[in-house]
């Protein structure tokens, strides 16, 4: 069974910590490391939309766990899919 990224939007309060902390997101869009959204249409793993986390491109995830550690409410996890 594979481990993969899973989000629980109902738990998310939209802080954006996970989006900013993800090294893949920052590598693809350096603006994200500064707390801004991507300035072009580059694809990132997840984004906050309407106050909730939304997985866009989970296949890009390197499964490092940084986003999981950054979330204060356990709304993003790595778990069996
Ligand atoms: S596990 Fe790592 S690579 Fe995957 S979304 Fe989280 S921070 Fe990004
Ligand atoms: S999943 Fe967690 S860290 Fe990411 S935006 Fe939601 S509350 Fe913040």
């Amino acid at each position: 069974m594979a481990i993969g990224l899973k989000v629980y939007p109902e738990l998310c309060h939209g802080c954006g910590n996970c989006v900013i902390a993800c090294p893949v997101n920052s590598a693809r869009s350096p603006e994200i490391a500064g707390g801004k959204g991507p300035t072009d249409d580059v694809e990132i793993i997840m984004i906050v939309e309407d106050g909730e986390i939304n997985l866009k491109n989970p296949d890009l995830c390197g499964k490092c766990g940084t986003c999981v550690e950054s979330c204060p409410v356990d709304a993003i996890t790595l778990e069996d899919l």
Side-chain angles (χ1 to χ4, degrees):
M1 191 178 290
I3 298 286
L5 211 53
K6 191 163 182 186
V7 296
Y8 295 88
E10 69 276 15
L11 299 178
C12 174
H13 59 199
C15 67
N17 284 359
C18 58
V19 179
I20 295 167
C22 173
V24 175
N25 282 348
S26 294
R28 298 179 71 85
S29 181
E31 300 85 3
I32 287 179
K36 298 179 179 175
T39 54
D40 54 29
D41 60 359
V42 63
E43 293 183 331
I44 60 173
I45 298 174
M46 69 292 209
I47 196 164
V48 174
E49 292 178 319
D50 298 327
E52 292 182 345
I53 195 66
N54 190 359
L55 274 183
K56 291 291 192 182
N57 298 285
D59 290 349
L60 299 175
C61 175
K63 301 172 185 170
C64 66
T66 303
C67 60
V68 177
E69 294 298 319
S70 76
C71 181
V73 292
D74 298 328
I76 186 165
T77 66
L78 285 170
E79 58 188 77
D80 292 339
L81 297 178

